[in-house]
């Protein structure tokens, strides 16, 4: 366990509803994440990955337990979002349909405490677009509805690359892109980690992908973390039946990533 964790969760639960309708989306999880680590949260649909990511983002306040960012409770969401940014499954919901993409990429800088000049912002936006294989001309004057799901997902990533947050929560960020773009995005995420020391929490169904990108993997099932450890430990020597099932479910094209 890291000594000065960036995130620390002690017996954290996030329950919804009551009585018969009680949903234990996240149920008594305890973990620490170190500065600069890449953590993958892996599990099947409905196991609580996104809800946990939303607690980390300060969108939900846990219903019980202790959750700390750099040793403090998350009291001010705006301050938190200065450091912690996210990419979610549905890229369209993250952009306003009535404004051009470029305008929104630039607007995103409003959230930062350090103010940049217009030229600096333009430069960062252009570089971020190129990083996700889009030339600035491709999106000039375009609105979100004019792009495909995969293209929009890249716009979300471009926003992250431009803002350079301390922490990135990426919830299935490559689910809508093809394998080639996916590999580029993952490589770029790792480059960001190396260059900026960014901490990345990566949410996915795919333990093969997690094996490829992470320092540690957390396996979730029914709201709980049932297994965790370094990729070689978890993916090559799985202990939980849930992990074994997840390995069986890896898409063929990623199986080669786990060298047995
Ligand atoms: N706001 C909410 N109110 C009530 N229940 C919720 C809410 N959000 C999520 N849930 C429930 O919590 C459980 C965990 O949901 P979550 O979105 O975290 O799953 P997930 O692991 O991200 O799944 P997927 O891989 O399909 O995205 C599910 O049973 C879901 O229906
Ligand atoms: Mg989810």
């Amino acid at each position: 366990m890291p000594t000065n964790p960036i995130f620390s969760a002690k017996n954290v639960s996030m329950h919804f509803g009551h009585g018969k309708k009680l949903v234990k989306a996240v149920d008594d999880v305890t973990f620490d994440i170190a500065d600069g680590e890449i953590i993958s949260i892996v599990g099947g649909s409905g196991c609580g990955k996104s809800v946990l990511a939303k607690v980390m983002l300060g969108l939900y306040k846990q219903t019980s337990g202790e959750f700390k960012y750099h040793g403090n409770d998350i009291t001010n969401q705006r301050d938190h979002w200065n450091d912690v940014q996210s990419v979610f499954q549905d890229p369209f919901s993250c952009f306003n349909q009535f404004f051009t993409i470029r305008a929104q990429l630039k607007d995103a800088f409003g959230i930062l405490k350090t103010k940049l000049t217009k030229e600096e912002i333009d430069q960062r936006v252009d570089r971020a677009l190129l990083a996700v294989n889009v030339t600035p001309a491709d999106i000039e004057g375009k609105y979100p509805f004019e792009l495909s799901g995969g293209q929009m997902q890249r716009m979300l990533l471009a926003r992250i690359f431009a803002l350079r947050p301390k922490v990135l929560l990426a919830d299935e960020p490559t689910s809508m892109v093809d394998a080639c773009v996916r590999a580029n995005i993952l490589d770029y995420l790792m480059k960001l980690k190396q260059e900026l020391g960014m901490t990345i929490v990566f949410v996915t169904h795919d333990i093969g992908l997690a094996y490829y990108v992470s320092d540690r993997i957390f396996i979730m099932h029914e709201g709980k973390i049932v297994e965790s450890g370094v990729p070689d430990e978890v993916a090559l020597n799985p202990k939980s039946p849930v992990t074994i099932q997840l390995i069986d479910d890896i898409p063929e094209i990623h199986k080669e990533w786990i060298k047995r």
Side-chain angles (χ1 to χ4, degrees):
M1 285 269 172
T3 39
N4 265 325
I6 192 161
F7 286 110
S8 133
K10 241 186 234 158
N11 307 108
V12 166
S13 293
M14 181 72 217
H15 294 177
F16 298 102
H18 299 279
K20 275 191 185 154
K21 287 191 179 153
L22 178 69
V23 178
K24 297 180 176 179
V26 172
D27 197 25
D28 193 16
V29 299
T30 296
F31 60 82
D32 279 343
I33 295 177
D35 210 350
E37 257 192 310
I38 298 192
I39 297 288
S40 290
I41 303 177
V42 188
S45 191
C47 72
K49 304 180 299 294
S50 296
V51 171
L52 180 57
K54 284 174 186 166
V55 171
M56 299 174 87
L57 198 56
L59 283 173
Y60 289 139
K61 167 90 181 147
Q62 72 275 14
T63 45
S64 64
E66 223 180 50
F67 189 74
K68 306 273 188 196
Y69 173 70
H70 278 307
N72 300 311
D73 291 330
I74 301 164
T75 44
N76 183 324
Q77 283 180 330
R78 278 199 80 83
D79 277 354
H80 193 52
W81 295 339
N82 195 50
D83 284 5
V84 183
Q85 290 275 316
S86 62
V87 195
F88 276 105
Q89 278 165 321
D90 173 11
F92 288 98
S93 66
C94 301
F95 281 85
N96 186 321
Q97 297 300 323
F98 300 107
F99 295 94
T100 64
I101 290 158
R102 191 171 181 94
Q104 294 185 69
L105 288 175
K106 285 160 71 172
D107 270 0
F109 286 87
I111 201 166
L112 297 186
K113 280 191 193 133
T114 357
K115 296 297 165 217
L116 302 175
T117 65
K118 272 189 175 160
E119 291 72 32
E120 283 171 325
I121 291 177
D122 271 319
Q123 218 176 40
R124 276 227 217 162
V125 167
D126 286 346
R127 278 176 42 198
L129 286 169
L130 292 173
V132 294
N133 295 337
V134 173
T135 57
D138 287 343
I139 59 137
E140 200 49 54
K142 290 235 168 95
Y143 291 82
F145 67 87
E146 295 177 275
L147 299 190
S148 72
Q151 284 173 319
M152 278 309 294
Q153 225 161 17
R154 281 190 265 169
M155 291 307 110
L156 264 183
L157 285 161
R159 185 153 79 185
I160 300 301
F161 297 158
L163 293 178
R164 300 183 197 160
K166 292 202 176 88
V167 182
L168 171 63
L169 288 176
D171 195 339
E172 302 275 9
T174 61
S175 60
M176 288 191 194
V177 296
D178 59 45
C180 171
V181 174
R182 176 178 300 129
N184 278 337
I185 289 175
L186 294 177
D187 286 345
Y188 198 82
L189 284 179
M190 283 187 280
K191 206 159 78 190
L192 277 179
K193 175 200 144 98
Q194 278 155 10
E195 282 174 15
L196 309 173
M198 193 189 273
T199 305
I200 301 177
V201 177
F202 196 70
V203 171
T204 178
H205 291 157
D206 185 343
I207 194 171
L209 227 154
Y211 178 84
Y212 180 64
V213 300
S214 3
D215 296 316
R216 278 191 299 150
I217 298 178
F218 297 170
I219 305 287
M220 268 189 99
H221 182 63
E222 295 181 351
K224 296 188 183 294
I225 295 178
V226 294
E227 182 163 3
S228 66
V230 297
D232 277 345
E233 220 168 272
V234 174
L236 303 186
N237 191 12
K239 287 173 192 72
S240 159
V242 177
T243 315
I244 294 167
Q245 184 62 49
L246 285 164
I247 292 171
D248 278 348
D249 292 345
I250 298 175
E252 277 308 318
I253 58 158
H254 294 173
K255 280 226 163 104
E256 73 207 45
W257 286 352
I258 296 190
K259 309 162 215 106
R260 278 189 178 271

